[in-house]
Amino acid sequence: MGPRGITIKSDKEIDLMRQAGRVVAQAKARVRDAVRPGVTTGELDRVAEDTIRGLGAIPSFKGYAPYGMSPFPATICASINEEIVHGIPGERVLREGDILSVDVGAIVEGFHGDSAFTIGVGGISEDAQRLIEATRRALDRGIEQVRAGARVGDISHAVQTYAEGLGYSVVRQYVGHGIGRAMHEEPQVPNYGSPRKGYLLRKGMAVAIEPMLNIGGWETKQLSDGWTVATADGSLSAHFEDTVAITSKGAEILTRLDQP
Ligand code: MF3
Ligand code: CO
């Protein structure tokens, strides 16, 4: 099944998405606290899964099998250095100087939250720090565009101009997405595009905005495990993602703990 159509959520449904978002935010916080040299990505996966299940929610990535792909076997995606997204956690040990992108999703009463962050392991290079900070800010630039009456292209353009203005490339083959009862709904939310183009955003919609920035070129390659996506040129990549809903209060970031 491809991505589902756009869904307009009721206030009650948005509230379930708030709950799913808070679970994801707590799982991210627990994983972030566990990241250090010497830990394996599989250990981080268990921290995330225990947190999500402990809060009565369901990890959404585990068993996820888009058409033609093997089921994703874990709760988090753990993507290291030149890996962009969809890395499979396992026995790999994190080393000082690595950068790690963690993507987490959870389901509460049928509604999804989806979020990602990139973090340095111990001390990291200035180039890596700048890339991470730029990606975090690119996400915020995109989120700033979210309101009823804006279009998806406003988000795309804000992310792209910020990232490219700093000399980074934005990944094109993977995009953000609508989210609700399915993790991937329409519309697609690319990290490149033109203002005032694309789907019109309305109250009751929710989108996962997820810029992926590379130090080198935007081209990607698929690794032989069937899931992990890396930069074609081996350059470092960072990824941040939040689930954002348009509610009666305006744009609400659902996957951060510090939101009111
Ligand atoms: N946030 C990711 C995305 O939107 C979800 C990971 S896909 C999975 O593509 F297969 F790993 F679950
Ligand atoms: Co996503």
Side-chain angles (χ1 to χ4, degrees), residues 60-62 64 66 72 77 86 103 114 175 177 183-184 210 227 239 241:
S60 48
F61 299 174
K62 208 169 221 186
Y64 181 67
F72 191 78
C77 301
H86 302 171
D103 198 334
D114 185 9
V175 297
H177 47 92
M183 177 163 58
H184 294 135
E210 47 180 317
W227 273 102
H239 179 209
E241 175 179 22

